[in-house]
Structures are given as C-alpha cells and as structure tokens.
Amino acid sequence: TIYEEYFNAQQIAKLEDITASTVVRWIREGEFEGARRVGREYRIPLESYHTWRESTKLNVRPNERTHGNISNK
C-alpha cells in the first residue's frame, strides 16, 4: 500500500495563520478533497492542501516560519 501523509486542521491553521475553526468550516464546505474525520480530528491529505493552496484566491499566505516544518508524528 502507498503511505499518504496528512495535515490536521490545527497544522493548516498554523501554516495559513488562521483559526482551526476556519479550516474545519472549509473542510465541511468541501474545500479539501479527501479530508476525513478520524476520531475527533480531521485529516487532510498533503496533496489536497497543496492543490487548495495553489488554487485559492484568498489573501491567505503560508506562514513562512512554519511552512514545511510541521511534523505529522
């Protein structure tokens, strides 16, 4: 099987300098393809996040201090 890496809502919120509740709202609105709930946490495939990041026209920019430095462990 292929191992797929995920972000959770808090990690995306930190990257984008927004609240986790905003990320959860976007997940519920279908902004992140393949996002799913595991227990009390949402998992968003990294590829889905990057696709969203490339296509979004929002004035939300990745937080340069944390971009690429978030551990999924």
Side-chain angles (χ1 to χ4, degrees):
T1 61
I2 296 174
Y3 175 75
E4 187 169 11
E5 294 184 22
Y6 296 89
F7 280 143
N8 63 35
Q10 292 77 16
Q11 290 170 316
I12 290 177
K14 191 171 184 178
L15 283 171
E16 300 295 335
D17 198 24
I18 56 177
T19 66
S21 61
T22 296
V23 177
V24 169
R25 179 171 44 87
W26 290 343
I27 291 168
R28 290 178 179 163
E29 291 172 355
E31 292 291 323
F32 298 99
E33 186 176 328
R36 62 180 177 227
R37 192 168 181 160
V38 178
R40 302 180 110 193
E41 181 174 273
Y42 282 98
R43 300 280 173 100
I44 302 95
L46 293 182
E47 185 174 332
S48 179
Y49 165 73
H50 291 297
T51 299
W52 172 84
R53 168 88 327 267
E54 291 292 322
S55 68
T56 188
K57 294 182 180 176
L58 298 174
N59 286 331
V60 178
R61 296 185 178 196
N63 184 329
E64 292 178 7
R65 290 177 288 125
T66 60
H67 188 66
N69 294 324
I70 294 181
S71 172
N72 286 323
K73 295 180 182 178

